[in-house]
Amino acid sequence: MLTVAVLISGAGSNLKALLDAAAEEDYPARIVVVGADREADGFAHAQAYGIPTFLVPWSEFDSREAWGAELATQLAVWRPDLIVLSGLMRLLPAEVVDAWSPRIINTHPAYLPEFPGAHGVRDALAAGATQTGASIIVVDNGVDSGPILAQERVPIRSDDDEHTLHERIKPVERRLLVDVVRRIATGELDLSAP
Ligand code: GAR
């Protein structure tokens, strides 16, 4: 059974999809802990499933490195096989990425390498694109630049705003994320050679 730590910053809809999947008897992964950089609404999903949570508040640290060191300490307690960044809106310091690589994956609401960064949905709309997408990648030390594990196109409608487009991307992300974690757990997907 693959053990997974999930890191979030917000609503945690992708987290909830993983928790729902992991509650199925035949799903080959279990979520052991959920962490966040702020008081995230998504903690409620973890609590509903009785999954432990931890908070490493970004605002209480002087540097990314100090924050990352505490995050690494918390993660080490749970010794997960895989870390999933599921809407964590912080770049991890190189020390954390290097310690866990390639066992850290990230969800992103665009068809990478198009529109990386914190505003993938907004940037796709601003560029006048007619399609965007969702991607699941291995985290490296760049911004959304790691190997792509899965991705799918999502069309942009002429009347889309950031909210409506993101709401159409999210179900695709959830499906891809649940499937990628399953394939990692079964060995179908080898993170060291994606
Ligand atoms: C998701 O769309 C995720 O891809 C995105 O934040 C959203 C979190 O939603 N992450 C990024 O943009 C990272 N650059 P959720 O909290 O409801 O899962």
Side-chain angles (χ1 to χ4, degrees):
M1 187 65 72
L2 187 87
T3 58
V4 181
V6 183
L7 300 180
I8 61 171
S9 292
S13 64
N14 285 293
L15 162 69
K16 181 173 186 307
L18 259 189
L19 286 162
D20 290 345
E24 301 290 327
E25 218 168 272
D26 59 350
Y27 193 74
R30 291 286 173 267
I31 297 174
V32 291
V33 71
V34 175
D37 64 324
R38 64 188 79 164
E39 280 292 353
D41 289 346
F43 272 157
H45 299 307
Q47 283 149 5
Y49 274 102
I51 307 290
T53 59
F54 69 81
L55 180 61
V56 184
W58 172 261
S59 55
E60 289 181 17
F61 292 83
D62 292 338
S63 67
R64 184 179 308 280
E65 288 65 33
W67 172 76
E70 178 57 22
L71 193 68
T73 300
Q74 296 286 335
L75 287 168
V77 171
W78 300 93
R79 302 162 57 99
D81 299 318
L82 179 73
I83 298 172
V84 175
L85 308 187
S86 185
L88 180 74
M89 300 308 280
R90 302 279 171 205
L91 290 178
L92 295 175
E95 290 77 5
V96 175
V97 174
D98 294 344
W100 289 89
S101 177
R103 295 181 298 123
I104 314 184
I105 65 172
N106 185 29
T107 66
H108 185 73
Y111 199 87
L112 291 168
E114 299 167 7
F115 312 116
H119 305 293
V121 181
R122 191 184 307 170
D123 292 348
L125 284 170
T130 56
Q131 54 179 358
T132 182
S135 305
I136 313 294
I137 61 169
V138 177
V139 175
D140 68 5
N141 281 313
V143 177
D144 299 321
S145 55
I148 293 165
L149 299 172
Q151 60 185 169
E152 196 172 303
R153 283 290 186 189
V154 174
I156 299 178
R157 296 181 186 152
S158 55
D159 60 349
D160 263 333
D161 58 25
E162 190 173 349
H163 176 74
T164 59
L165 179 55
H166 204 168
E167 287 306 305
R168 282 212 322 290
I169 292 170
K170 278 183 164 191
V172 178
E173 269 189 289
R174 286 177 212 144
R175 178 163 44 74
L176 294 179
L177 179 64
V178 167
D179 188 55
V180 162
V181 171
R182 183 188 58 73
R183 288 193 286 135
I184 293 169
T186 58
E188 197 182 315
L189 194 53
D190 179 3
L191 286 182
S192 56

